[in-house]
Amino acid sequence: MRFFCILLMHKVESSPMHTTQLDLRGMSRDSLLACCAAAGVKPVHAEHLTAAIFRRGHSDIATIPEIPHRLRDHLLAHTFIQSPTIAADQQSTDGTRKLLLKMGDGKAVETVLIPAEGRLTQCVSTQVGCAMGCRFCLTATAGLNRHLTAGEMVAEVMVGQQISDHRVRNLVLMGMGEPLHNYAAVAEFVRIASDPKGMAFSPNRITLSTSGIVPKIYAMAEDQLPCNLAVSLNATSDAVRDQIMPINRKYPLAELMRAVRDYIAARGNKRVLIEYVLLAGVNDSLDDAKRLAALMDGVGCTVNLLPFNPYPGSRFARPDEADVEAFHTILADQRIVVVVRRSRGRDISAACGQLIE
Ligand code: SAH
Ligand code: SF4
């Protein structure tokens, strides 16, 4: 508990770059409207900006078309556009592609592009590192370096789209970082990504995954954040969850499940995705499966089982296929909607929990 609190209380830098300027790619429609007002031009130009920056991916303020000189001068003086560089680009035998993106201050994050049937899903990072300390996760080993800004998350998606032949259709906030530990920036990113006049991702195709920061699950419900919620449950008892996910000592299972039920009620029966990493001999017994089925009973969740992706130095093991199948069968027999997720990109360490700078 103490370890966890120290990590959270540690002051985290936001982007140290351009301290007096705003990143245009991190500005939602309301902020662009405020910009237009400050420049003394009509509000309609906020729409032109949204289309140019977020729909067409313009990255040079000097050449944005259809905007008055006064607005351009204002933008050049007060804003910038964040463009990360690709420091590494790896392609898996299954088509999954992992990019290492270097931000303006030299900090790097990974983003993963996963193709399926001509469509792409992009796995987006929300922080450089992560403070949550989950024992099975490689990202946790480096701790938290800093939060990403909304503009940096938008930039991740822009780069992913630019280098891809197909349109990025789904966004999953399942890369490096705990999205709800960086709530304000992540919420702004989700609003920008789902703006129909801009990046135009359907809210149903954006999924935010959390280790379970309960108050922010309530914030998501209150803000009606336009995305889906996924919760990494990963254990069926506090004793085990305390051991593998330190966040559980602050927000134990019963509180977390209550937040999931309240979220579903507040969002009008929107289903929540429950992720469950299967760790051999830790949380993959048949009793665990029965307890998980009981926890899910009548809640309105879909369960994704993720057999552990090992990495050098990890002290956990991936269960045998037969054990995964037996676990799956118990849930399916209880009429729980359950899928075993076969990780993509394992040969380039692009699978869940294998991301690190
Ligand atoms: N921080 C968020 C999102 C990023 S992690 C969260 O924890 O939900 C995305 C998913 O990968 C989580 O469900 C997490 O439990 C899972 N994961 C982490 N390490 C893993 C590993 N080594 N093998 C399989 N899944 C892993
Ligand atoms: Fe952070 Fe998620 Fe990894 Fe836990 S599983 S350390 S919350 S990235």
Side-chain angles (χ1 to χ4, degrees), residues 130 134 136-138 173-175 177-179 209-211 230 232 234 245 275 277 306-311 352-354:
C130 184
C134 302
F136 49 82
C137 176
L138 183 60
L173 278 59
M174 297 183 186
E178 165 48 56
S209 172
T210 179
S211 55
S232 302
N234 298 343
M245 300 181 74
E275 295 158 283
V277 181
L306 312 165
F308 175 65
N309 294 310
Y311 51 86
C352 284
Q354 293 186 319

Side-chain angles (χ1 to χ4, degrees), residues 174 178 180 207-214 217 220 228-234 241 245 253 256-257 259-261 263 272-277 296 301-304 306:
M174 297 183 186
E178 165 48 56
L180 295 188
T207 302
L208 182 160
S209 172
T210 179
S211 55
I213 302 188
V214 164
I217 293 177
M220 280 180 75
N228 297 315
L229 172 65
V231 172
S232 302
L233 204 67
N234 298 343
R241 203 165 189 269
M245 300 181 74
L253 266 177
L256 178 56
M257 285 311 299
V260 168
R261 283 192 296 274
Y263 177 90
V272 167
L273 179 69
I274 297 291
E275 295 158 283
Y276 194 94
V277 181
M296 296 295 108
C301 295
T302 299
V303 176
N304 269 2
L306 312 165

Side-chain angles (χ1 to χ4, degrees), residues 260-272:
V260 168
R261 283 192 296 274
D262 290 345
Y263 177 90
I264 291 171
R267 297 299 303 261
N269 284 328
K270 212 167 162 42
R271 284 184 88 79
V272 167

Side-chain angles (χ1 to χ4, degrees), residues 1 4-5 8 132 178 180-181 210-218 231-233 237-238 241-242 245-259:
M1 176 68 174
F4 178 70
C5 291
L8 279 189
M132 299 299 129
E178 165 48 56
L180 295 188
H181 183 205
T210 179
S211 55
I213 302 188
V214 164
K216 299 297 183 204
I217 293 177
Y218 284 100
V231 172
S232 302
L233 204 67
S237 69
D238 283 323
R241 203 165 189 269
D242 278 354
M245 300 181 74
I247 183 83
N248 195 68
R249 299 178 207 161
K250 190 157 186 180
Y251 306 114
L253 266 177
E255 253 183 67
L256 178 56
M257 285 311 299
R258 190 178 320 126

Side-chain angles (χ1 to χ4, degrees), residues 173 185-195 201 206 208 225-227:
L173 278 59
V186 166
E188 194 73 336
F189 166 69
V190 168
R191 286 189 199 101
I192 293 170
S194 60
D195 184 338
F201 284 93
I206 306 175
L208 182 160
L225 207 64
C227 63

